[in-house]
Structure formats: structure tokens, C-alpha cells
């Protein structure tokens, strides 16, 4: 009789543990489903509304994503749940890239020109060339001159004025870099690029001005 009571007691304890475990797993699955549903619902919100509350959307996403990731530990066989999380994560990242592109204003024509001459975002309104040093200045000149050479027929007179402004700023930086260990070999190569740029600038700016004057007469 005593043994029966002990076995019954153990069975009740095990049943209690199982019940708690099942409840914990159920809660974990709900958190993951909530995360998946959030990603799907965000994609249905109007773009204007998303733009106004994008910071809040991202904060809520981060919270739900973290909860879902932690919930995996409470699911015994979580391969399916993991796949659900990963699928939603990819969906959200793709959607986020789309929204970021929509929310970010297109750069001005001047900034687009600077990006082409030096690289995306390297030169902004502050016109800082502090990132140019003795190790990379030759490649900076190289990109600048080759970009101008490849696009010289499409530049307007205003473009050439901006190019000249950027060229002079780069030259000014070179004067500083020369004192910081610029090699004689790189200095020689830069001189060659400068010799190529000077007549190209003069001739093509004159041509752009002539074209604009001809268009104005029409």
C-alpha cells in the first residue's frame, strides 16, 4: 500500500513537471508565432505610416526577434521553429532594405558627382579630405582622373566647375600628405595623372561652355 502511494506520488510529480514543460513550450511557440505575424503585418502597413513611425517599428521588431530567439531554448525539437524565425528574418531584412531606399532622399547631382569621383559618401558638404593619406592618395587621384576621363563628354559646365573645386581640394591635401611619408614612386605617378587631367579639364570645360551657349541661342 505504501509503495502504491509512493508510485502515485511520483506519477503526480512527473505529471506536474510535464504540464509545466508543455506550458512553457506552448508559450515559447506563441512568442515565435507572434514574431512571424509581426513581420507579415508590418509589410501591409502604408509606406507613409511606416516612414512616420519607422523607429518604433524597428524597436518593436528587435524586441520580438529577441524574444523569439530566446524562446527556441524552451522547445525540445526546435528545427521547425528555427526555420520559421530564419524565414521571417530574411523577409524583414529585405523589406527593411526596400523601406530604407524609399525613406532616404536621393543625393543631389553635386553629391552624386562627388560619390563618383571619390567613392560613396567619402566627400560630403564639409569637403573633408582627412581620410586621404600617404598610403591611399595615389589610388584616390587615379579614381578621380579615370572617372573624369570616362565621363568627360557628359559633364556640364557646372560639373566641370565642381570637378575643378574638388581637384584643388585634393591637391591641397597632397601638400599635407607629402610631409607624412608620401613615397617618391607614388608622387611620380600622381604627377603623371595631374599632367593628364590639366589639358582634359581645359579643353572639355571650354567645349561644355560652347555647347551651352549654342543651346541658349536656339
Amino acid at each position: 500500500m505504501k509503495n502504491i502511494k509512493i508510485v502515485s506520488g511520483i506519477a503526480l510529480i512527473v505529471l506536474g513537471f510535464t504540464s509545466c514543460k508543455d506550458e512553457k513550450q506552448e508559450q515559447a511557440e506563441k512568442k515565435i508565432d507572434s514574431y512571424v505575424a509581426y513581420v507579415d503585418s508590418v509589410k501591409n502597413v502604408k509606406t507613409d505610416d511606416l516612414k512616420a513611425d519607422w523607429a518604433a517599428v524597428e524597436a518593436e521588431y528587435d524586441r520580438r526577434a529577441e524574444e523569439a530567439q530566446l524562446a527556441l531554448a524552451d522547445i525540445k525539437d526546435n528545427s521547425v521553429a528555427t526555420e520559421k524565425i530564419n524565414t521571417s528574418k530574411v523577409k524583414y531584412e529585405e523589406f527593411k532594405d526596400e523601406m530604407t531606399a524609399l525613406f532616404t532622399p536621393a543625393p543631389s547631382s553635386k553629391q552624386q558627382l562627388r560619390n563618383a569621383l571619390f567613392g560613396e559618401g567619402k566627400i560630403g558638404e564639409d569637403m573633408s579630405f582627412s581620410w586621404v593619406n600617404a598610403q591611399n592618395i595615389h589610388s584616390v587621384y587615379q579614381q578621380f582622373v579615370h572617372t573624369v576621363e570616362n565621363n568627360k563628354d557628359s559633364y556640364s559646365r557646372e560639373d566641370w566647375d565642381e570637378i575643378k573645386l574638388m581637384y584643388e581640394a585634393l591637391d591641397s591635401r597632397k601638400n599635407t600628405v607629402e610631409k607624412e611619408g608620401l613615397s617618391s614612386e607614388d608622387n611620380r605617378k600622381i604627377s603623371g595623372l595631374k599632367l593628364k587631367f590639366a589639358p582634359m579639364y581645359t579643353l572639355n570645360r571650354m567645349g561644355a561652355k560652347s555647347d551651352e551657349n549654342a543651346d541658349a541661342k536656339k
Side-chain angles (χ1 to χ4, degrees):
M1 187 70 176
K2 186 178 180 181
N3 289 338
I4 292 174
K5 287 183 178 178
I6 292 173
V7 171
S8 299
I10 291 173
L12 287 171
I13 292 170
V14 170
L15 185 61
F17 279 140
T18 303
S19 178
C20 290
K21 191 172 183 180
D22 288 345
E23 186 178 344
K24 203 171 185 181
Q25 177 159 319
E26 187 178 338
Q27 290 300 318
E29 289 171 349
K30 283 182 178 179
K31 287 179 180 178
I32 291 169
D33 288 340
S34 175
Y35 165 71
V36 171
Y38 181 77
V39 171
D40 290 339
S41 66
V42 164
K43 295 180 71 175
N44 294 322
V45 178
K46 291 181 180 178
T47 303
D48 289 343
D49 294 335
L50 281 174
K51 185 176 182 179
D53 294 317
W54 186 246
V57 169
E58 286 207 279
E60 182 64 14
Y61 171 83
D62 290 341
R63 184 185 71 79
R64 289 176 185 254
E66 184 179 5
E67 280 189 351
Q69 200 64 45
L70 292 172
L72 287 175
D74 293 328
I75 300 176
K76 187 176 180 180
D77 181 6
N78 62 20
S79 57
V80 174
T82 301
E83 181 64 25
K84 287 170 72 174
I85 289 175
N86 290 341
T87 299
S88 287
K89 188 181 294 184
V90 170
K91 278 185 185 179
Y92 182 79
E93 289 303 322
E94 290 176 349
F95 180 69
K96 180 180 176 180
D97 289 343
E98 289 176 18
M99 292 302 102
T100 301
L102 284 175
F103 299 159
T104 304
S108 64
S109 58
K110 181 186 291 187
Q111 187 60 52
Q112 288 179 36
L113 179 58
R114 292 178 179 183
N115 290 343
L117 293 171
F118 298 106
E120 193 74 25
K122 289 290 183 68
I123 300 294
E125 288 301 317
D126 59 355
M127 286 181 57
S128 172
F129 281 80
S130 59
W131 54 277
V132 179
N133 53 48
Q135 286 69 48
N136 66 15
I137 192 167
H138 170 240
S139 64
V140 174
Y141 267 99
Q142 201 168 37
Q143 177 173 336
F144 182 96
V145 174
H146 288 172
T147 299
V148 172
E149 185 176 28
N150 291 336
N151 298 279
K152 62 182 185 294
D153 296 329
S154 63
Y155 291 140
S156 67
R157 184 163 53 90
E158 287 75 15
D159 289 335
W160 282 110
D161 290 343
E162 179 67 16
I163 288 167
K164 182 66 181 303
L165 181 67
M166 291 296 102
Y167 180 75
E168 290 173 347
L170 179 58
D171 267 356
S172 178
R173 179 61 181 170
K174 178 177 176 290
N175 294 335
T176 301
V177 167
E178 281 183 312
K179 303 169 188 175
E180 298 175 349
L182 179 62
S183 70
S184 56
E185 177 66 13
D186 279 348
N187 209 346
R188 183 184 64 77
K189 290 177 180 177
I190 289 170
S191 295
L193 290 166
K194 287 165 68 68
L195 285 173
K196 177 184 281 189
F197 174 80
M200 182 167 57
Y201 165 78
T202 302
L203 290 172
N204 285 280
R205 188 187 182 284
M206 287 174 60
K209 186 175 181 179
S210 298
D211 290 342
E212 288 181 9
N213 288 338
D215 290 339
K217 288 178 180 179
K218 291 178 183 179

